[in-house]
Amino acid sequence: MNTPVRLATFGVGLLAVFGAAVGVGSAIGPVGPVGPPAEQVSPADHAPAPGDAPPAPGPSHEEHTP
């Protein structure tokens, strides 16, 4: 076999494998946790870690007003 025929055969085989994977995946369905979805918690709802320092205070706007 020459090179173009080998590459074409490889490409067709690759398409067949991916096509089969898509078919099996759509037949099985999504995979994930069973049960109701977990509650969404935003980072603002969490307390800071014990080692975290509080944010440094910024300049006050009252200091710069004439």
Side-chain angles (χ1 to χ4, degrees):
M1 265 201 282
N2 58 9
T3 303
V5 173
R6 284 184 183 199
L7 287 175
T9 304
F10 178 76
V12 169
L14 197 61
L15 285 174
V17 168
F18 279 115
V22 168
V24 169
S26 65
I28 292 175
V31 177
V34 178
E39 200 174 299
Q40 295 290 332
V41 180
S42 69
D45 294 340
H46 293 285
D52 289 345
S60 173
H61 292 290
E62 295 173 0
E63 298 172 4
H64 298 291
T65 55

